[in-house]
Amino acid sequence: MTADLFESIADVLPSREAMAEGAMLLRGFASPFESELIAVLRDIERQAAFRHMITPGGHAMSVAMTNCGELGWVTDRSGYRYEGNDPETGKPWPAMPAAFFRLAGQAAAQAGFSEFSPDACLINRYQPGARMSLHQDKDEDDFGAPIVSVSLGLPAIFLFGGSKRSDKPRRFRLEHGDVVVWGGPSRLAFHGVAPLADGEHALIGRQRINLTFRKAR
Ligand code: SIN
Ligand code: FE2
């Protein structure tokens, strides 16, 4: 009886898993919003297409990217930075949909960061084989705000290390609907994504989409 009750509560409450001090994995937190998120994503993609950006070292990234919000993260031969306009079209990035802003704020609050007000959302598209090497998110002015990262589609292995590149990262399997929040003492943690395994997701297809919300300014 008691066990049954706990199981049914576990079904409806998304679980919170501490990854490190200031870092939290909220399993399934975005699942209730999946249809709305997918609909607005299509809209964004129509205005600002996914593209493989070039690193300062001259390599095309395996992850395809676009952005929404006041600012978008870009890279090219001259470096990493935030830009108000999409360099491909010269137009402002699509506005951040209310559904994105709300989800990011609610996830941050669940993880203990109240009043998160992102002005940038980097949208990453991983097709099988795409990966992201270990890096810190440090192009933002404000490290007081956390990073909120939403996973949709195929599962991925997320690597989460410490504040030094040499800290051995832990591996977390992120599934459709999972949200990771890192801030405070974990704000500058090195993180990355292992090469995406092939598969087919019922709603998203043969890819993984990651939304990364930041307060850039
Ligand atoms: C990122 O660090 O920008 C992406 C993380 C992810 O795809 O989960
Ligand atoms: Fe990152």
Side-chain angles (χ1 to χ4, degrees):
M1 172 66 194
T2 315
D4 283 355
L5 182 62
F6 279 119
E7 270 162 38
S8 55
I9 290 172
D11 282 347
V12 295
L13 282 180
S15 82
R16 289 202 297 182
E17 200 177 313
M19 298 168 66
E21 209 188 331
M24 187 90 75
L25 170 43
L26 308 171
R27 296 236 178 246
F29 193 85
S31 295
F33 313 103
E34 62 185 12
S35 330
E36 203 178 356
L37 298 177
I38 291 166
V40 293
L41 264 168
R42 296 226 166 89
D43 222 50
I44 292 168
E45 193 182 338
R46 265 198 297 273
Q47 302 169 63
F50 283 103
R51 78 291 306 262
H52 293 273
M53 296 186 195
I54 308 295
T55 64
H59 301 286
M61 297 187 76
S62 62
V63 177
M65 297 174 167
T66 185
N67 289 279
C68 67
E70 268 166 69
L71 293 162
W73 186 87
V74 299
T75 172
D76 59 20
R77 289 306 298 236
S78 56
Y80 304 140
R81 61 194 179 278
Y82 282 94
E83 292 277 2
N85 292 338
D86 178 349
E88 295 288 320
T89 62
K91 294 195 209 133
W93 296 105
M96 190 180 301
F100 276 24
F101 190 83
R102 258 197 321 267
L103 169 62
Q106 287 173 11
Q110 272 293 313
F113 301 96
S114 53
E115 321 269 321
F116 180 49
S117 176
D119 53 11
C121 175
L122 171 64
I123 306 171
N124 294 311
R125 185 188 68 194
Y126 298 74
Q127 287 172 329
R131 59 189 288 269
M132 195 173 290
S133 51
L134 281 182
H135 65 278
Q136 295 170 294
D137 290 354
K138 56 177 186 189
D139 302 316
E140 300 72 33
D141 292 345
D142 182 5
F143 298 145
I147 302 285
V148 173
S149 162
V150 177
S151 292
L152 297 171
L154 289 177
I157 301 296
F158 184 58
L159 310 168
F160 195 78
S163 55
K164 294 197 296 290
R165 188 178 287 282
S166 56
D167 294 333
K168 188 174 157 46
R170 291 174 65 200
R171 299 163 70 87
F172 296 87
R173 184 183 158 94
L174 299 184
E175 309 256 4
H176 177 79
D178 289 350
V179 179
V180 181
V181 181
W182 64 96
S186 283
R187 177 60 182 75
L188 291 175
F190 277 88
H191 59 280
V193 177
L196 194 78
D198 203 353
E200 180 77 28
H201 186 271
L203 290 175
I204 307 280
R206 202 176 165 213
Q207 57 186 355
R208 167 177 187 258
I209 303 284
N210 168 259
L211 314 174
T212 306
F213 295 92
R214 296 98 185 270
K215 174 127 184 70
R217 296 281 150 79

